[in-house]
Amino acid sequence: MVRLVTSDNVEFVVDKEVVERSALIKDFTSEDVGESIPLANVSSAVLSKVIEYCEHHRGEPLPSADPDQNQDEIRRRTTDISEWDQKFMIVDQEMLFELILAANYLDIKSLLDLGCKVVANMIKAKTPDEIHRFFNIVNEFTPEEEAQINKENEWAEDR
């Protein structure tokens, strides 16, 4: 068992096999520290979701960076989202981005890929203005600056 302590000082005791989906935690556990592993960048609410994800995917092979991997397998892995994963990712935007940050920090490639796929699907076929509104992004450019940027990047627009 591995003891993890979150940024809000909550301790989780988790099966080693489950948390070793995280390369960061796996490195810690390989040293057999024997004490709690502090996770300063992860809150208890987010770690709870991360553990749920790792628990569900326990025993599955970790994604590899094998250059000889079948192209169909790579395409499937980068586009398909399983039914369980889709339901798991039905969270508010704040939790979604916290999960992505935690997956990156903990080095859980499959969860990071999943979060990025969900965000990509959210913005697919949206205009920049729609994306700004969707994510509450404030445009910091003056109309003149925006016109200049649009003119410089005219080549990238669909015609």
Coordinates of all heavy atoms in Angstrom, one line a residue, residues 2 4 19-31 33 37-42 102-109:
V2 N 0.4 2.3 -0.6 CA 1.1 3.6 -0.7 C 0.3 4.7 -0.1 O -1.0 4.7 -0.3 CB 1.4 3.9 -2.2 CG1 2.1 5.2 -2.3 CG2 2.2 2.8 -2.9
L4 N -0.5 8.6 0.1 CA -0.4 9.8 -0.7 C -1.0 11.0 0.1 O -2.1 10.8 0.7 CB -1.1 9.7 -2.0 CG -0.7 8.5 -2.9 CD1 -1.6 8.4 -4.1 CD2 0.7 8.6 -3.3
V19 N -1.7 2.9 -8.1 CA -1.1 4.2 -8.3 C 0.2 4.2 -9.1 O 0.7 5.2 -9.5 CB -0.8 4.9 -6.9 CG1 -2.1 5.3 -6.2 CG2 0.1 4.0 -6.1
E20 N 0.6 3.0 -9.5 CA 1.8 2.9 -10.3 C 1.5 3.2 -11.8 O 2.4 3.1 -12.6 CB 2.5 1.6 -10.2 CG 3.4 1.6 -8.9 CD 4.3 0.4 -8.7 OE1 4.1 -0.6 -9.5 OE2 5.2 0.5 -7.9
R21 N 0.3 3.5 -12.1 CA -0.1 4.0 -13.4 C 0.6 5.4 -13.6 O 0.8 5.9 -14.7 CB -1.6 4.1 -13.7 CG -2.2 2.7 -13.7 CD -3.6 2.8 -14.4 NE -3.6 3.0 -15.8 CZ -3.3 2.1 -16.7 NH1 -2.9 0.9 -16.4 NH2 -3.3 2.4 -18.0
S22 N 0.9 6.0 -12.5 CA 1.6 7.3 -12.4 C 3.1 7.0 -12.4 O 3.6 6.4 -11.5 CB 1.2 8.1 -11.2 OG 2.1 9.1 -10.9
A23 N 3.8 7.6 -13.4 CA 5.2 7.4 -13.5 C 5.9 8.1 -12.3 O 6.9 7.6 -11.8 CB 5.8 7.9 -14.8
L24 N 5.4 9.2 -11.9 CA 5.9 10.0 -10.8 C 5.9 9.1 -9.5 O 6.9 9.0 -8.8 CB 5.2 11.3 -10.6 CG 5.6 12.1 -9.3 CD1 6.9 12.9 -9.7 CD2 4.5 13.0 -8.9
I25 N 4.7 8.6 -9.2 CA 4.5 7.8 -8.0 C 5.3 6.5 -8.1 O 5.9 6.0 -7.1 CB 3.0 7.5 -7.7 CG1 2.3 8.9 -7.4 CG2 2.9 6.5 -6.6 CD1 0.8 8.8 -7.2
K26 N 5.4 5.9 -9.3 CA 6.1 4.7 -9.5 C 7.6 4.9 -9.1 O 8.3 4.1 -8.5 CB 6.0 4.2 -10.9 CG 6.6 2.8 -11.1 CD 6.3 2.3 -12.5 CE 6.8 0.9 -12.6 NZ 6.3 0.3 -13.9
D27 N 8.1 6.1 -9.5 CA 9.5 6.4 -9.2 C 9.7 6.5 -7.7 O 10.7 6.1 -7.2 CB 9.9 7.7 -9.9 CG 10.2 7.6 -11.4 OD1 10.2 6.5 -11.9 OD2 10.2 8.6 -12.1
F28 N 8.7 7.2 -7.0 CA 8.8 7.3 -5.6 C 8.8 5.9 -4.9 O 9.6 5.6 -4.0 CB 7.6 8.1 -5.0 CG 7.9 9.6 -4.9 CD1 7.3 10.5 -5.8 CD2 8.7 10.1 -3.9 CE1 7.5 11.8 -5.7 CE2 9.0 11.4 -3.8 CZ 8.4 12.3 -4.7
T29 N 7.9 5.0 -5.4 CA 7.7 3.7 -4.7 C 8.9 2.8 -5.0 O 9.1 1.9 -4.3 CB 6.4 3.1 -5.1 OG1 6.3 2.9 -6.5 CG2 5.2 3.9 -4.6
S30 N 9.6 3.0 -6.1 CA 10.7 2.2 -6.4 C 11.9 2.4 -5.4 O 12.7 1.5 -5.3 CB 11.2 2.4 -7.9 OG 11.8 3.7 -8.0
E31 N 11.9 3.5 -4.8 CA 12.9 3.8 -3.8 C 12.5 3.3 -2.4 O 13.3 3.4 -1.5 CB 13.1 5.4 -3.7 CG 13.6 6.0 -5.0 CD 13.6 7.5 -5.0 OE1 13.4 8.1 -3.9 OE2 13.7 8.1 -6.0
V33 N 10.5 4.3 -0.1 CA 10.6 5.4 0.9 C 10.0 5.0 2.3 O 10.5 5.3 3.3 CB 10.0 6.7 0.4 CG1 10.2 7.8 1.4 CG2 10.6 7.0 -1.0
I37 N 3.8 10.0 0.4 CA 4.3 10.8 -0.7 C 3.5 12.1 -0.8 O 2.3 12.0 -1.0 CB 4.2 9.9 -2.0 CG1 5.0 8.7 -1.9 CG2 4.6 10.7 -3.2 CD1 4.7 7.6 -3.0
P38 N 4.1 13.2 -0.7 CA 3.4 14.5 -0.8 C 3.1 14.8 -2.2 O 4.0 14.8 -3.1 CB 4.3 15.5 -0.2 CG 5.7 14.9 -0.4 CD 5.5 13.4 -0.4
L39 N 1.9 15.2 -2.5 CA 1.4 15.6 -3.8 C 0.9 17.1 -3.7 O -0.3 17.3 -3.7 CB 0.3 14.7 -4.4 CG 0.7 13.2 -4.5 CD1 -0.5 12.4 -4.9 CD2 1.9 13.0 -5.4
A40 N 1.9 18.0 -3.7 CA 1.6 19.4 -3.5 C 0.7 20.1 -4.5 O 0.0 21.0 -4.2 CB 2.9 20.2 -3.4
N41 N 0.7 19.5 -5.7 CA -0.1 20.1 -6.8 C -1.5 19.5 -7.0 O -2.1 19.8 -8.0 CB 0.7 20.1 -8.1 CG 2.0 20.9 -8.0 OD1 2.1 21.7 -7.1 ND2 2.8 20.7 -9.0
V42 N -1.9 18.6 -6.1 CA -3.1 17.8 -6.4 C -4.0 17.9 -5.1 O -3.5 17.6 -4.0 CB -2.9 16.4 -6.7 CG1 -4.1 15.6 -7.0 CG2 -1.9 16.2 -7.9
A102 N -3.4 17.5 -13.1 CA -3.0 16.4 -12.2 C -2.3 15.2 -13.0 O -1.3 14.7 -12.6 CB -4.1 15.9 -11.4
A103 N -3.0 14.9 -14.1 CA -2.4 13.8 -15.0 C -1.1 14.2 -15.5 O -0.2 13.3 -15.6 CB -3.4 13.5 -16.1
N104 N -0.9 15.4 -15.9 CA 0.4 15.9 -16.3 C 1.4 15.8 -15.2 O 2.5 15.3 -15.4 CB 0.3 17.3 -16.9 CG 1.6 17.8 -17.5 OD1 2.2 17.1 -18.3 ND2 2.0 19.0 -17.2
Y105 N 1.1 16.4 -14.0 CA 2.0 16.4 -12.9 C 2.4 15.0 -12.4 O 3.5 14.7 -12.2 CB 1.3 17.2 -11.7 CG 2.0 17.1 -10.4 CD1 3.3 17.8 -10.2 CD2 1.5 16.4 -9.3 CE1 3.9 17.7 -9.0 CE2 2.1 16.4 -8.1 CZ 3.3 17.0 -8.0 OH 4.0 17.0 -6.8
L106 N 1.4 14.1 -12.4 CA 1.6 12.7 -11.9 C 2.1 11.8 -13.0 O 2.5 10.7 -12.8 CB 0.3 12.1 -11.4 CG -0.3 12.8 -10.1 CD1 -1.7 12.3 -9.8 CD2 0.6 12.6 -8.9
D107 N 2.2 12.3 -14.2 CA 2.7 11.6 -15.4 C 1.9 10.3 -15.6 O 2.4 9.2 -15.6 CB 4.2 11.3 -15.2 CG 4.8 10.9 -16.6 OD1 4.1 10.9 -17.6 OD2 6.1 10.6 -16.6
I108 N 0.5 10.5 -15.8 CA -0.4 9.4 -16.2 C -0.8 9.7 -17.6 O -1.8 10.4 -17.9 CB -1.6 9.4 -15.2 CG1 -1.1 9.3 -13.8 CG2 -2.5 8.2 -15.6 CD1 -2.3 9.3 -12.8
K109 N -0.1 9.2 -18.6 CA -0.3 9.5 -20.0 C -1.7 9.2 -20.5 O -2.3 10.0 -21.2 CB 0.7 8.7 -20.8 CG 0.6 9.1 -22.3 CD 1.7 8.5 -23.1 CE 1.6 8.7 -24.6 NZ 0.7 9.7 -25.1

